[in-house]
Amino acid sequence: MPRFVYSEAVDQAARVLFAKHKVSVDDRYGKCISPGYVVDESRDGGVRVSHRMPEPDLLDDDRMSSDEMAEERHGMVELYAKSLESAGWSVTRRGPRSRNPYLLATRPTGNPALSPEGPR
């Protein structure tokens, strides 16, 4: 069974994020090869947004430390939150003190001026 199943909420959130950010890219085996956002459907019909990064090369002396990687994830998740909020989404930040923070977001409702791409 494929990992991805179409969801209107995921599609709308991805459209908002795609305008300003890069999507995470996996190889054909599911290994992250390019850092970026990941959007998954949450249980309540909203979305879960996180930042995914490739695993560091342990033989590289200049690789990022786990603290540096956590700092990058926090910074990117905050940028994703600001993008979604500016498009009218309600955002809850989760894991603020963890190494893998994420967002829970719900679509804007009841305001015809707001589209999935943001205000018109």
Side-chain angles (χ1 to χ4, degrees), residues 47-67:
V47 295
R48 181 183 194 272
V49 180
S50 59
H51 183 71
R52 190 164 176 219
M53 301 170 66
E55 293 297 320
D57 179 356
L58 298 178
L59 300 176
D60 182 3
D61 292 332
D62 293 328
R63 69 182 177 271
M64 293 176 77
S65 70
S66 71
D67 289 340

Side-chain angles (χ1 to χ4, degrees), residues 78-115:
E78 185 58 30
L79 290 174
Y80 303 152
K82 288 178 182 178
S83 293
L84 289 167
E85 288 171 336
S86 70
W89 287 66
S90 297
V91 174
T92 303
R93 290 156 176 82
R94 304 301 297 250
R97 290 178 289 283
S98 77
R99 294 202 170 275
N100 294 298
Y102 62 95
L103 308 171
L104 295 176
T106 55
R107 292 181 275 188
T109 58
N111 186 344
L114 293 175
S115 72

